[in-house]
Amino acid sequence: MMTPATVSTAGQPAPQRRFRASDVADHLDMLVIGQVCLGVSFAGYSKLLDAVFSQQSGTLDRLLRALDAAQTEAIRENAHSFKGETSVLGLKALAQQAWHCEGQGAQFTPADCQQAAARLRDCWQSTQALCSRMGFTTQAPAQP
């Protein structure tokens, strides 16, 4: 049974999104992506993204669970891990959401936690859909 925090791609159609050129700059750090591709190849980068978007590490799920439960110490710890995972792959908007949770999470009210979780889920969907659209990943965009 899936919890509300779980991100899954099973049985869900890919959401249709319209992107603007500025969405790339808002969501992705192309300099970092280029550096990673030079280091591990484009195919290697795609495999790394597939691992992130399939949630093999579970960092997003743990962060969303902490936010949903308003567990401020767990928010900070899990946000730090998720920030590292996303920033090294150039997933700028996701890393910024995690940075906010890490820095401000100790002061979050339950309402703040709900808002942060909603923003993180929306950012996850947008980033994953954008990466899929650009051919960076083979993972179908998921609904968190």
Side-chain angles (χ1 to χ4, degrees):
M1 180 173 173
M2 299 186 112
T3 64
T6 302
V7 177
S8 173
T9 58
Q12 296 177 352
Q16 296 297 316
R17 293 183 180 263
R18 289 182 169 253
F19 291 106
R20 300 178 313 264
S22 63
D23 291 332
V24 174
D26 292 343
H27 287 272
L28 305 175
D29 185 330
M30 295 305 291
L31 179 60
V32 171
I33 291 170
Q35 291 171 339
V36 174
C37 287
L38 285 173
V40 299
S41 79
F42 181 77
Y45 179 73
S46 292
K47 286 180 184 180
L48 291 170
L49 276 186
D50 285 347
V52 168
F53 289 133
S54 67
Q55 272 297 284
Q56 290 179 7
S57 70
T59 57
L60 175 64
D61 188 51
R62 287 190 299 276
L63 176 54
L64 288 171
R65 285 180 195 271
L67 287 165
D68 290 341
Q71 298 171 329
T72 56
E73 189 57 36
I75 291 169
R76 292 179 55 212
E77 292 170 14
N78 291 301
H80 179 76
S81 296
F82 188 65
K83 178 184 73 176
E85 182 177 280
T86 54
S87 64
V88 299
L89 294 176
L91 305 177
K92 180 170 75 173
L94 285 169
Q96 288 171 341
Q97 291 295 319
W99 178 82
H100 174 72
C101 289
E102 181 184 19
Q104 303 298 315
Q107 292 83 34
F108 278 0
T109 65
D112 294 332
C113 289
Q114 288 178 347
Q115 290 173 356
R119 284 192 306 269
L120 185 57
R121 285 181 172 103
D122 181 61
C123 186
W124 173 266
Q125 287 180 296
S126 295
T127 300
Q128 189 177 18
L130 183 60
C131 286
S132 178
R133 178 80 178 264
M134 293 180 71
F136 290 159
T137 181
T138 60
Q139 290 289 314
Q143 299 282 339

